[in-house]
Amino acid sequence: MDYSKMSPAEVRALIRTGEITTHTSGMCDGYAQANLVVLPYEDAYDFLLFTQRNPKACPILEVGDVGDKRIRTIAQNADVTTDIPKYRLYRDGVLAGEYTDVSDLWQDDFVFFLIGCSFSFESELIAADVPVRHIEEGVNVPMFITNIDCEPAGRFSGKAVVSMRPIPAGLIPRAAAVTAQMPRVHGAPIHVGDPEAIGIRDLSKPDFGDPVTFYPGELPVFWYCGVTPQSVVMNSKPRIAITHAPGHMFITDTKNISLKY
Amino acid sequence: MDYSKMSPAEVRALIRTGEITTHTSGMCDGYAQANLVVLPYEDAYDFLLFTQRNPKACPILEVGDVGDKRIRTIAQNADVTTDIPKYRLYRDGVLAGEYTDVSDLWQDDFVFFLIGCSFSFESELIAADVPVRHIEEGVNVPMFITNIDCEPAGRFSGKAVVSMRPIPAGLIPRAAAVTAQMPRVHGAPIHVGDPEAIGIRDLSKPDFGDPVTFYPGELPVFWYCGVTPQSVVMNSKPRIAITHAPGHMFITDTKNISLKY
């Protein structure tokens, strides 16, 4: 099956019935995908404030009403507990299980947060002839925990996580300009060059994802990463939390290009 | 005194000591000004969610910690209870008084929200040779309540308020392009032309502010307005709320140009 040409509604239907349980990279060309964080209402204000104070790391696409599983804005006829291929349940910050459906775990006090993902700007980079190395090499994007403190909010604080892409020096301005137009999916890079300046010791040993090849004349370019909110939430050990499993995203009905405006 | 060339810290010091109690239009050239809403914590989640769901009408610049009067991000050494020339106190949605200092009214459960203001993009429009009629005519910008429903959040719901500027038809693309670059101060226009399409009957009778002159070849251009959050908050009749008095804004240390990025 070529899922890249299917509509988000078609792919979500296959996810809902359990026919798709794989990662969603490359599915539904042109449509935005989203990170998921579900928290009980007792933690929702602090988390929402955290995202407001760290908008480049945590660009919110939609927040549900308390207890409501239905997605209303970025997709139609979608249920946040069934329409993601794989979920992770955390209790007190510790992984307590992986699920392909969390409708039985849903609670009346749960609030979902769907957060923009760099998958959206990567297709724009490729369209602008900027190479995206981890896609060329068929691996996951390399991600690093930095020494950059996020702005804390209530119980949530921690270091920012960045994704890194090697870019030919002459294309860095174009890469910055293309992504700066998409603030709802992390926006412009936050650092170019020297990794140690942001607390990264070894580009060949990412904290998450896979290492990628550098060619002569390329510099590392760093963007805030959607792993930041999950990392920060887990560090604060909430009583209960549900997230998507890495790479297993929610596919929206919202086109990447519409996130520019 | 020419306040336009003074620094925000200098003008805030004069406001704090009561030497300035007037509106802040034209003060501190190049620096952003902000709308104020203060609510008790019991209403803060719903209001923060409302701003997240209506980012063009309610672009948040800073949210305080619960009980904290100090502004930390968009200005230094600033106190939200003393550094605005005039405040309004509302009880159950009814105006209960105007004050030049609300430090005695502050409560341990209060949360402040500072929200972007179209003063920022107006200076950019003028710099781009787009006329801003109400500034030319020395009056307040005309504002209208539309038939556009904001996305509701908890106890907060209501119609969007827009500001209107007559723009020569040939300059409308430039006005849209300039303001689209500034999403933190309302961003691009939301409507051009026919006022009735968004529920406005008579451009000569604004709901807030003053009417302005139209010249031949001009069309009305509408932007979401920072009066929206105040209007919505008052409609929902919170137990207590504090806002700035219209036109009497908080002057930040943040340059307008930095709100582009």
Side-chain angles (χ1 to χ4, degrees):
Chain A
M1 290 293 289
D2 180 4
Y3 299 124
S4 70
K5 301 301 174 203
M6 290 176 68
S7 77
E10 289 169 332
V11 171
R12 288 200 306 266
L14 295 174
I15 290 170
R16 199 175 304 139
T17 56
E19 286 170 74
I20 294 176
T21 58
T22 58
H23 73 81
T24 55
S25 177
M27 293 185 186
C28 306
D29 275 353
Y31 288 91
Q33 301 194 15
N35 301 281
L36 174 71
V37 173
V38 175
L39 287 168
Y41 181 68
E42 66 189 26
D43 293 320
Y45 179 75
D46 284 355
F47 187 68
L48 185 58
L49 185 58
F50 184 85
T51 66
Q52 189 282 319
R53 289 183 177 172
N54 298 278
K56 291 191 79 170
C58 313
I60 291 279
L61 297 180
E62 182 165 341
V63 182
D65 287 330
V66 180
D68 195 346
K69 305 188 263 195
R70 285 169 299 178
I71 296 162
R72 294 167 180 274
T73 306
I74 61 172
Q76 300 300 314
N77 303 312
D79 180 322
V80 83
T81 67
T82 58
D83 292 4
I84 287 177
K86 200 175 289 177
Y87 299 86
R88 287 185 167 178
L89 172 70
Y90 293 84
R91 293 188 190 277
D92 301 314
V94 178
L95 183 64
E98 282 200 341
Y99 301 84
T100 57
D101 183 317
V102 290
S103 50
D104 289 345
L105 296 171
W106 190 257
Q107 299 180 4
D108 286 346
D109 67 339
F110 275 1
V111 179
F112 72 78
F113 300 82
L114 289 165
I115 298 166
C117 162
S118 58
F119 283 12
S120 294
F121 75 62
E122 288 179 345
S123 57
E124 297 286 305
L125 288 173
I126 291 167
D129 291 330
V130 176
V132 179
R133 187 63 30 78
H134 64 276
I135 293 179
E136 293 171 357
E137 299 188 339
V139 297
N140 196 357
V141 65
M143 292 164 275
F144 300 88
I145 301 170
T146 68
N147 63 5
I148 302 167
D149 285 313
C150 293
E151 285 290 323
R155 70 180 293 169
F156 298 112
S157 63
K159 303 294 182 186
V161 178
V162 294
S163 62
M164 188 282 297
R165 294 163 187 80
I167 309 277
L171 286 175
I172 291 172
R174 189 187 298 187
V178 165
T179 54
Q181 289 180 65
M182 304 182 75
R184 297 187 70 187
V185 286
H186 305 305
I190 55 118
H191 185 63
V192 174
D194 183 17
E196 291 198 11
I198 56 172
I200 298 170
R201 289 196 190 158
D202 187 346
L203 287 181
S204 71
K205 292 178 182 163
D207 294 301
F208 312 99
D210 304 303
V212 294
T213 310
F214 270 82
Y215 295 125
E218 293 183 338
L219 288 174
V221 180
F222 302 90
W223 281 263
Y224 279 127
C225 173
V227 170
T228 306
Q230 290 196 20
S231 168
V232 162
V233 165
M234 294 318 134
N235 286 341
S236 82
K237 302 188 184 358
R239 183 169 54 79
I240 189 167
I242 294 171
T243 70
H244 68 288
H248 298 65
M249 316 296 284
F250 178 75
I251 305 174
T252 78
D253 293 335
T254 302
K255 289 196 172 168
N256 289 325
I257 196 165
S258 77
L259 296 178
K260 286 189 181 179
Y261 305 106
Chain B
M1 289 294 290
D2 180 5
Y3 299 124
S4 71
K5 300 302 175 202
M6 290 176 69
S7 76
E10 288 169 332
V11 171
R12 289 199 306 267
L14 295 174
I15 290 170
R16 200 174 305 138
T17 55
E19 286 171 74
I20 294 176
T21 58
T22 58
H23 74 80
T24 54
S25 177
M27 293 185 185
C28 307
D29 275 354
Y31 288 91
Q33 301 195 15
N35 301 281
L36 174 72
V37 173
V38 175
L39 288 167
Y41 181 69
E42 67 189 27
D43 293 320
Y45 179 75
D46 283 355
F47 186 68
L48 185 57
L49 185 59
F50 184 86
T51 66
Q52 190 282 318
R53 289 182 176 172
N54 298 279
K56 291 191 81 170
C58 313
I60 290 279
L61 297 180
E62 182 165 342
V63 182
D65 287 330
V66 180
D68 195 347
K69 304 188 264 194
R70 286 169 299 178
I71 295 163
R72 294 167 180 275
T73 305
I74 60 172
Q76 301 301 312
N77 302 311
D79 180 322
V80 82
T81 66
T82 58
D83 293 4
I84 287 176
K86 199 176 289 178
Y87 299 87
R88 286 185 168 178
L89 172 70
Y90 293 84
R91 294 189 190 276
D92 301 314
V94 178
L95 183 64
E98 282 200 341
Y99 301 84
T100 58
D101 182 318
V102 289
S103 50
D104 290 345
L105 296 171
W106 190 258
Q107 299 180 3
D108 286 346
D109 67 340
F110 275 0
V111 179
F112 72 78
F113 301 82
L114 289 165
I115 299 166
C117 161
S118 58
F119 283 12
S120 294
F121 76 61
E122 288 178 346
S123 57
E124 297 285 305
L125 288 173
I126 291 166
D129 292 330
V130 176
V132 179
R133 187 64 30 78
H134 64 277
I135 292 179
E136 293 170 358
E137 299 187 340
V139 297
N140 196 358
V141 65
M143 293 165 274
F144 301 87
I145 300 170
T146 69
N147 62 4
I148 302 168
D149 285 314
C150 293
E151 284 291 323
R155 70 180 294 169
F156 298 112
S157 64
K159 303 294 184 187
V161 178
V162 295
S163 61
M164 188 283 295
R165 293 162 189 81
I167 309 278
L171 287 175
I172 290 173
R174 189 187 297 187
V178 165
T179 55
Q181 289 180 64
M182 304 183 75
R184 298 187 71 188
V185 286
H186 306 304
I190 55 118
H191 185 64
V192 174
D194 183 15
E196 290 198 11
I198 56 172
I200 299 170
R201 289 196 191 159
D202 187 345
L203 287 181
S204 71
K205 293 178 182 162
D207 294 299
F208 312 98
D210 303 302
V212 294
T213 309
F214 270 82
Y215 296 125
E218 294 182 338
L219 288 174
V221 180
F222 302 89
W223 281 264
Y224 279 127
C225 173
V227 170
T228 306
Q230 290 195 21
S231 167
V232 162
V233 164
M234 294 317 134
N235 285 342
S236 82
K237 303 190 187 354
R239 183 170 53 81
I240 188 167
I242 295 171
T243 71
H244 67 289
H248 298 64
M249 317 295 284
F250 177 75
I251 304 174
T252 77
D253 293 335
T254 302
K255 289 195 172 169
N256 290 325
I257 196 165
S258 77
L259 296 178
K260 286 189 181 179
Y261 304 106

